């Protein structure tokens, strides 16, 4: 079921930037971004503890991606810089209403519909 609202995906050339947004329906304990390319496993990209500065990033995006929240704490963003072809995937927003979820998909109980990010050389 689609429970979160995502936006911001699109096509960009290598080295470019995109910013994804995700709106939660209510209170969350933590929010995160996952991605999945065709024929590959879903992987955690970035996670943030609601109302704090505590974040966790996958090694593959550390230093290039930044996860943040708005002041109302109901929207999470993923700023993606220095994009690479290997970043091409469907990106999914996730939220946990009860706990810190980290980069483990099983810890999240709310999901978005996905937004496509395509990076070309």
């Amino acid at each position: 079921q689609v429970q979160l609202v995502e936006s911001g995906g699109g096509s960009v050339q290598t080295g470019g930037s995109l910013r994804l947004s995700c709106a939660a329906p209510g209170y969350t304990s933590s929010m995160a971004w996952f991605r999945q390319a065709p024929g590959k496993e879903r992987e955690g990209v970035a996670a943030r503890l609601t109302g704090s500065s505590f974040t966790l990033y996958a090694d593959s995006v550390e230093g290039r991606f930044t996860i943040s929240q708005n002041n109302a704490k109901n929207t999470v963003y993923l700023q993606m810089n220095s994009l690479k072809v290997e970043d091409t995937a469907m990106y999914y927003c996730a939220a946990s209403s009860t706990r810190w979820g980290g980069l483990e998909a099983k810890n999240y109980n709310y999901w978005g519909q996905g937004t496509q990010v395509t990076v070309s050389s």
Side-chain angles (χ1 to χ4, degrees), residues 35-43 86-90 92:
R35 67 186 182 186
Q36 186 169 27
K40 296 185 177 180
E41 298 86 356
R42 179 175 53 187
E43 64 172 336
E86 51 263 44
D87 294 319
T88 296
M90 184 72 73
Y92 298 91

Side-chain angles (χ1 to χ4, degrees), residues 1-25:
Q1 293 185 3
V2 178
Q3 299 166 308
L4 306 175
V5 180
E6 301 166 334
S7 63
S11 298
V12 66
Q13 59 190 278
T14 299
S17 299
L18 285 172
R19 183 171 63 182
L20 308 182
S21 299
C22 174

Side-chain angles (χ1 to χ4, degrees), residues 57-74:
Y57 296 94
D59 290 342
S60 60
V61 306
E62 183 75 48
R64 298 189 298 120
F65 291 9
T66 302
I67 186 170
S68 61
Q69 286 183 304
N70 67 342
N71 291 335
K73 304 180 181 66
N74 59 0

Side-chain angles (χ1 to χ4, degrees), residues 80-109:
M80 304 182 292
N81 297 327
S82 302
L83 283 162
K84 306 174 180 179
V85 172
E86 51 263 44
D87 294 319
T88 296
M90 184 72 73
Y91 282 70
Y92 298 91
C93 180
S96 172
S97 60
T98 60
R99 62 170 292 175
W100 164 246
L103 299 179
E104 295 292 332
K106 64 179 177 59
N107 294 331
Y108 294 89
N109 53 347

